[in-house]
Amino acid sequence: MASRRPPATPGPPARRLGPLLLVEAATLLSGTGNGVATVALPWLVLERTGSPTAAGIVAAATALPLLVSSLLSGTVVDLLGRRRTSIVSDALSAASVAAIPILDATLGLNIAAIVVLAVLGAVFDPAGLTARETMLPAAAAAARWRIDRANSVHEAMWGVAFLVGPGVGGVLIAAFGPERTLWVTAAGFVLSMLLIAAVRLPGAGRPETRPAGIWHGTVEGLTFVWRDRLLRTIALLTMALVALYLPSEGVILPAYFVAQGAPSRLGTIVMAMSAGGIVGALLFGGLGHRIRRRTAFVIALVGTGIALVGLAALPPYPAMIALAAATGLMYGPINPLANYAMQTRTPEHLRGRVVGVMTSSAYAAGPAGYLLAGPLVEWLGVRPAFLVLAVALLVVALVAIPLPSLQALDEPPIHPPAPVTAPLDEGPVPLGEQWISTARRDRPDDRA
């Protein structure tokens, strides 16, 4: 009598790199467009007005609505779905940015029009950013990548975008002017939209669990972040870093190089920062397991402060390039570590809202930094104003060293990422992003 063959044991899901490549390519294109705008918009304002304060006002007006839109963006993602939110966000951003050269060619531009259109373009960005970032764990699981590796590559893509974008922006400004250069930003958003439309991932479509409403969902995200000691500390540190660092790119360095009539040099300095950030993020992805996460975070903070103080002294141009690269290199591990904290301490159904809240904490400090930087430059001059902001950033980094809450970076994950070798019957629950074994699924505290 013939023996019966035992049923085959389900193996791990097939490896799919496509979704991860699409998400990262969309991130690259969208970020490149924003990188071009980083140099084109302040250059446009300074060219029209010659006033660093006007540039600071435009930058602050652009950053202020980002606080509200980024705060709500995570709830929008959890309500509408990740893919749909990313597509709509990119489409609206492309339209608002393209309106600047169109208006300039037809009715003419003034500062009020630039502010309004820049604000509209910036308002839609956080939703797309949040949507793509919340797809990352599922994309990593499909590719059978560990989440720390995916985080490092994701942040490196942002670095590549801001390496290419400002350099391209500086060249295009010199060749065609800042108005026409903004067409590149619009094109980046359109291409990003088309790539995300092709993404097929668990959880990228219509959400299975939705918040009760925009306000209720946002409050849930805020409450969760505030009650988590690590996420609360990272959010507050991020606010300080952004308020003190962002004006260097948006006001101080543009004012310095406009006075020299050297747009390409501005682009090169920002590119050097981005190149350093790429290397720093990738080095952390490859070597981060050899050092405690808290130690890596503190070293990155302090190193960033020291390098920025050197850059703020405005040494000869070759030294500025080296210090800009060092600033990016030291900052490289910070965002992957922050992403890891969000992904391993947040239940899956809240991830959009938590990413939105953490993003808004950065945007919250932007307007204050911009509004401070413009008058500070006019009062003290470029070099003293830069030094004041850089030294303040270093002080914040030194204060962070003894904070006990950062020790939580080395604690076991509360919501660990899905293991890429999990069998199908114990696969990711519920959307391919976090894993709960069958022995633990009946515990209410473990349910995502």
Side-chain angles (χ1 to χ4, degrees):
M1 185 173 181
S3 61
R4 298 180 60 184
R5 181 177 298 175
T9 302
R15 181 182 186 185
R16 294 191 300 133
L17 277 172
L20 182 62
L21 293 176
L22 288 171
V23 170
E24 294 309 321
T27 298
L28 177 62
L29 288 166
S30 177
T32 298
N34 279 318
V36 171
T38 297
V39 294
L41 281 176
W43 196 276
L44 175 62
V45 174
L46 288 164
E47 186 178 78
R48 298 293 174 98
T49 68
S51 170
T53 297
I57 290 172
V58 172
T62 302
L64 186 58
L66 290 177
L67 170 58
V68 177
S69 63
S70 61
L71 186 61
L72 302 177
S73 65
T75 308
V76 172
V77 170
D78 288 344
L79 277 170
L80 300 182
R82 297 165 183 177
R83 182 172 55 244
R84 182 185 303 172
T85 301
S86 181
I87 291 171
V88 172
S89 170
D90 285 339
L92 294 174
S93 294
S96 59
V97 172
I100 294 178
I102 291 174
L103 184 61
D104 183 60
T106 55
L107 301 177
L109 273 178
N110 55 39
I111 295 303
I114 293 173
V115 169
V116 170
L117 292 174
V119 165
L120 288 176
V123 160
F124 304 127
D125 284 347
L129 183 153
T130 300
R132 288 186 292 273
E133 189 165 326
T134 52
M135 289 188 223
L136 182 59
R144 299 177 64 186
W145 278 27
R146 293 292 179 183
I147 194 65
D148 52 354
R149 181 185 180 193
N151 283 331
S152 295
V153 170
H154 184 71
E155 296 304 325
M157 285 299 101
W158 275 111
V160 171
F162 281 90
L163 171 65
V164 174
V168 170
V171 171
L172 292 178
I173 288 171
F176 304 108
E179 302 88 353
R180 294 181 181 179
T181 296
L182 290 171
W183 282 114
V184 177
T185 297
F189 285 124
V190 170
L191 292 173
S192 172
M193 176 182 66
L194 296 175
L195 290 173
I196 290 297
V199 171
R200 294 295 180 269
L201 281 172
R206 187 179 297 274
E208 295 181 3
T209 303
R210 302 186 186 187
I214 292 286
W215 178 247
H216 182 268
T218 302
V219 170
E220 276 189 307
L222 281 166
T223 302
F224 185 89
V225 170
W226 186 254
R227 289 179 176 175
D228 186 286
R229 57 177 184 155
L230 176 60
L231 296 182
R232 181 174 67 242
T233 299
I234 290 176
L236 293 174
L237 286 173
T238 299
M239 291 175 67
L241 291 176
V242 169
L244 298 169
Y245 172 80
L246 205 58
S248 66
E249 290 188 6
V251 177
I252 294 178
L253 287 173
Y256 179 69
F257 287 110
V258 163
Q260 296 186 355
S264 60
R265 286 195 168 192
L266 171 62
T268 300
I269 291 295
V270 180
M271 287 172 64
M273 290 182 178
S274 298
I278 295 167
V279 175
L282 293 177
L283 282 176
F284 174 76
L287 304 175
H289 63 281
R290 299 183 181 182
I291 185 173
R292 292 171 63 89
R293 292 188 179 91
R294 178 189 175 280
T295 303
F297 192 79
V298 167
I299 290 174
L301 285 175
V302 176
T304 300
I306 292 173
L308 193 64
V309 168
L311 181 62
L314 298 178
Y317 182 61
M320 288 184 69
I321 295 175
L323 287 165
T327 301
L329 178 70
M330 298 308 302
Y331 193 86
I334 292 177
N335 285 334
L337 283 164
N339 290 347
Y340 173 85
M342 286 186 286
Q343 292 156 352
T344 58
R345 300 181 72 85
T346 307
E348 187 279 332
H349 71 282
L350 278 174
R351 182 166 299 127
R353 279 159 278 180
V354 169
V355 171
V357 168
M358 295 292 286
T359 301
S360 70
S361 70
Y363 288 130
Y370 282 129
L371 290 174
L372 171 65
L376 200 62
V377 169
E378 294 191 348
W379 178 40
L380 299 176
V382 172
R383 181 180 283 107
F386 201 173
L387 283 169
V388 167
L389 296 178
V391 170
L393 188 149
L394 179 58
V395 170
V396 169
L398 295 173
V399 168
I401 293 176
L403 292 178
S405 55
L406 292 180
Q407 295 175 0
L409 281 169
D410 295 309
E411 294 177 355
I414 298 175
H415 298 277
V420 296
T421 56
L424 293 177
D425 61 347
E426 288 191 349
V429 177
L431 299 178
E433 300 183 13
Q434 290 173 331
W435 175 81
I436 305 170
S437 69
T438 53
R440 299 175 63 197
R441 285 181 189 170
D442 293 331
R443 291 176 54 184
D445 290 344
D446 288 332
R447 292 178 184 169

